Amino acid sequence: LGGESLLDLLQNDPSYFRNVLFILDGDKDLSKSKYKDLSKNHCNIIKLPGDVSPEKVLYNYLLSLDPEHEILTSYFDKGLSIRRFQETGPLKNPKYSSYEDERVKFKEWFKDNKIMFDDINLLEFWKRDNADLYDIFIKEFINRYNIVAARNRIPKIN
């Protein structure tokens, strides 16, 4: 479900859904929406790192790699390069031009490349290279999870 649908569930049935942990994309801005008080009232909503979609976070990460980065040097023989990421990416590849919504372009691009990303352990590289953002997310996740766990009488994470 998309962020709006998830937040509708919490807003319309808080007695049940306050016992569920909601993890939203980083580009979901609650501050100017009808949902702005949900996180404060229920303490069960967190956002992924970054202020753009997770797919765009990864795309921007790939484009920002130093030419000597392990991803590029270890997988160059498989055709991985910043140039390739740019040319086959969601903004330049004609394959994605039919999508008007930029967010959809990035989602489709990510789906098309997921096997490669899994093969090279892209998320592990991102976590290592963005340790501060990752650590903040994990601390917030544990905090919110433990709040929900207490409500559900299940073990907390230490």
Side-chain angles (χ1 to χ4, degrees), residues 60-89:
N60 290 340
Y61 168 68
L62 289 169
L63 293 185
S64 73
L65 293 175
D66 183 278
E68 300 302 315
H69 192 282
E70 186 179 347
I71 289 176
L72 300 175
T73 59
S74 296
Y75 299 100
F76 185 76
D77 59 329
K78 293 185 179 187
L80 296 189
S81 67
I82 292 174
R83 182 176 175 187
R84 177 178 178 225
F85 293 134
Q86 289 172 329
E87 290 175 357
T88 63

Side-chain angles (χ1 to χ4, degrees), residues 86-100:
Q86 289 172 329
E87 290 175 357
T88 63
L91 301 177
K92 289 192 177 178
N93 189 336
K95 177 178 186 176
Y96 307 111
S97 63
S98 64
Y99 301 106
E100 289 185 31

